[in-house]
Amino acid sequence: MGRPQVTRAGHAIAGGARRAEILQTAASLIATSGLRTSLQEIADAAGILPGSLYHHFESKEAILVELLRRYHADLDRVAEQALVRLDETQSRSAFDRVTDLGAAIARCAVAHRAALQMSFYESPSPNPELTELTQRLPTATMDAMLQTLRAARWGGYLRSDVDLPLLADRVCQTMLQVGLDVMRHNAAADKVAVLMCRILLEGLASGTPTDAELDGSPAFAAADDAIASWRGDTEQDDKAALVRAVARSEFGRRGYENTTVRDIAAAAGLGTGTVYRVIGSKDELLASIMQSFGSKIAVGWTNVLRSESSAIEKLDALSWVNTNVLGQFGDEFRIQLAWMRQSPPDTPNPGWLFTTRLRQIKSLLTEAVRSGEIRVDSPSKEMLARAVIGIGWVPENILRERGTRASQLLVRDTSLRGVVDRPD
């Protein structure tokens, strides 16, 4: 017998399997360790030499491009399947049909956590395809959600005055956030998606607080006082203030990971050694910017939580603080996202102090459930608190398009009052 022949097809199958294995390994590492994961680390985890990895991918960016392609392809499949099911599931309730799609989006986000991190925390790249993919909106998914919401309104489930395209955007972005470990933690994606959909659609509040009532609360006044105090902040050290201001600009223009201390020094007209003496390393500079950013959030949250207001009024005022922080300190917010993109998901955030905020919200929700102000059932207080924190931030694109006041009204409808058509 002659030697067995290895066909080109056989080589292609073997090569395809190895390529898929490398992609899966890279996705797992990036999802847990951040985008600082190196090609050497990916090769080591895949059990191959770096030289062999280059037979399949010419660079780390080529791996990132392929991960993003697969993510968007799966999102498009979710949208296509949702539209088919919309015609086949008329017997299911409107809420169930929305949550079916929401859960499918959440599962896709969890399955593609590495690509999701890139999409949420995009930064400039010399690779035009990578830049385009990180900035691509899930338009097919949002359209499928819009059609699902329209069917819900036709069935009498949603109020007639609800802006459905805006609601579809809000729901889809919230479902995608389920893919982030900080929101989902150890909970199943489906359970988190159902809980978040219930809050977005039906609201937390047992009653229906009006805008006038919420605007007039002591908590809202405390939030406004904190927001006004931000405008009076002044820097004590002029050179340090200059470096921070230039760094914010350079981080925003180049991306955090692509900016060096030398870049910042040159833009500031200072020597590199001077920048190191004034601020320290790039990570210390980031921490300085983020601590200033975080202190503004902390002041607002502390003032609101100490006010003589109901739990619902406090939740509303906290979201007002968040919305204004995002509106006034967009550069810092984006820098923070860029830093998160590079870091493992469980790395302590230098500006947000998530553990502290989580503890505060848990305490507030416990009080609200006990008093009957909140009616939403949740598998756990931990899951409910994480969901409420996530929903308390309006997506940045909505804030840019609608402004702070309209964004706050959206948060009220999609976190406190709900958008369902309640009988009088």
Side-chain angles (χ1 to χ4, degrees):
M1 294 180 63
R3 296 177 61 185
Q5 297 297 309
V6 179
T7 65
R8 288 185 178 181
H11 278 302
I13 292 171
R18 173 57 82 180
R19 182 182 175 88
E21 181 184 348
I22 292 169
L23 284 172
Q24 184 57 46
T25 299
S28 297
L29 283 175
I30 292 169
T32 56
S33 302
L35 278 173
R36 290 179 180 175
T37 301
S38 67
L39 280 175
Q40 180 70 58
E41 290 169 325
I42 294 171
D44 289 345
I48 61 176
L49 295 172
S52 298
L53 188 150
Y54 283 113
H55 289 304
H56 301 278
F57 297 97
E58 63 182 17
S59 65
K60 178 179 168 182
E61 285 197 334
I63 293 176
L64 301 182
V65 164
E66 187 60 29
L67 291 175
L68 281 161
R69 285 175 182 163
R70 294 184 174 208
Y71 166 59
H72 285 293
D74 274 1
L75 273 179
D76 287 345
R77 277 192 287 272
V78 165
E80 184 179 350
Q81 292 165 3
L83 292 175
V84 171
R85 286 197 306 270
L86 193 58
D87 293 329
E88 297 175 348
T89 58
Q90 295 299 320
S91 61
R92 290 177 65 75
S93 71
F95 175 78
D96 286 342
R97 280 181 283 169
V98 174
T99 55
D100 283 348
L101 176 52
I105 296 170
R107 287 194 299 271
C108 184
V110 172
H112 295 275
R113 285 177 296 160
L116 181 75
Q117 288 182 42
M118 287 182 270
S119 295
F120 268 102
Y121 316 139
E122 77 273 4
S123 66
S125 168
N127 184 318
E129 185 177 11
L130 181 58
T131 298
E132 187 275 326
L133 285 167
T134 56
Q135 297 175 352
R136 182 183 296 178
L137 296 175
T139 52
T141 309
M142 287 195 287
D143 183 63
M145 181 61 74
L146 176 58
Q147 300 308 319
T148 304
L149 292 172
R150 280 177 176 160
R153 182 156 72 184
W154 291 335
Y157 179 64
L158 299 178
R159 298 197 318 260
S160 60
D161 64 330
V162 174
D163 184 328
L164 293 186
L166 184 63
L167 179 60
D169 189 350
R170 168 85 153 139
V171 174
C172 283
Q173 292 203 53
T174 303
M175 294 302 102
L176 289 173
Q177 289 178 14
V178 177
L180 303 178
D181 286 351
V182 71
M183 295 310 307
R184 180 172 44 85
H185 197 41
N186 296 320
D190 284 26
K191 289 185 178 180
V192 179
V194 170
L195 173 61
M196 285 185 145
C197 281
R198 191 167 296 283
I199 296 172
L200 288 166
L201 298 174
E202 300 181 359
L204 287 165
S206 299
T208 309
T210 66
D211 289 331
E213 290 168 343
L214 294 172
D215 289 343
S217 75
F220 202 81
D224 265 343
D225 287 344
I227 293 163
S229 74
W230 301 340
R231 292 189 288 271
D233 285 351
T234 57
E235 296 275 4
Q236 299 301 314
D237 187 328
D238 290 341
K239 192 167 288 186
L242 171 64
V243 171
R244 277 191 286 269
V246 170
R248 283 193 287 268
S249 175
E250 291 299 297
F251 287 157
R253 185 169 67 88
R254 300 171 181 266
Y256 173 71
E257 65 272 21
N258 295 325
T259 303
T260 66
V261 171
R262 187 180 298 276
D263 294 328
I264 295 166
L270 300 171
T272 303
T274 300
V275 173
Y276 277 117
R277 284 194 297 274
V278 170
I279 295 295
S281 68
K282 188 173 79 167
D283 284 348
E284 289 173 318
L285 175 56
L286 174 72
S288 174
I289 293 170
M290 291 301 99
Q291 284 166 4
S292 174
F293 173 66
S295 69
K296 292 175 173 60
I297 301 175
V299 168
W301 276 54
T302 298
N303 289 0
V304 167
L305 292 172
R306 288 177 176 172
S307 68
E308 294 295 327
S309 295
S310 70
I312 290 296
E313 289 169 342
K314 289 178 181 178
L315 288 173
D316 173 65
L318 292 177
S319 67
W320 183 234
V321 172
N322 296 346
T323 298
N324 279 273
V325 164
L326 186 56
Q328 294 188 36
F329 304 102
D331 286 342
E332 287 86 343
F333 190 78
R334 283 183 289 276
I335 292 166
Q336 181 171 251
L337 294 185
W339 173 84
M340 291 171 68
R341 178 177 182 254
Q342 296 296 309
S343 307
D346 58 352
T347 303
N349 186 314
W352 173 227
L353 299 178
F354 184 80
T355 302
T356 300
R357 306 295 166 242
L358 185 62
R359 184 176 64 251
Q360 291 171 326
I361 290 294
K362 278 184 181 178
S363 176
L364 186 60
L365 291 174
T366 298
E367 170 194 334
V369 170
R370 186 183 302 119
S371 67
E373 284 185 71
I374 285 180
R375 59 173 172 226
V376 172
D377 292 327
S378 172
S380 71
K381 290 179 182 177
E382 176 86 11
M383 185 189 297
L384 179 59
R386 287 173 181 269
V388 168
I389 287 174
I391 288 173
W393 289 86
V394 69
E396 189 182 12
N397 69 298
I398 293 176
L399 176 61
R400 286 197 307 266
E401 294 166 6
R402 303 298 177 112
T404 52
R405 177 61 179 177
S407 295
Q408 183 65 14
L409 299 183
L410 174 66
V411 174
R412 286 174 176 176
D413 276 341
T414 54
S415 65
L416 303 180
R417 296 185 291 229
V419 292
V420 300
D421 190 6
R422 303 184 190 281
D424 295 332

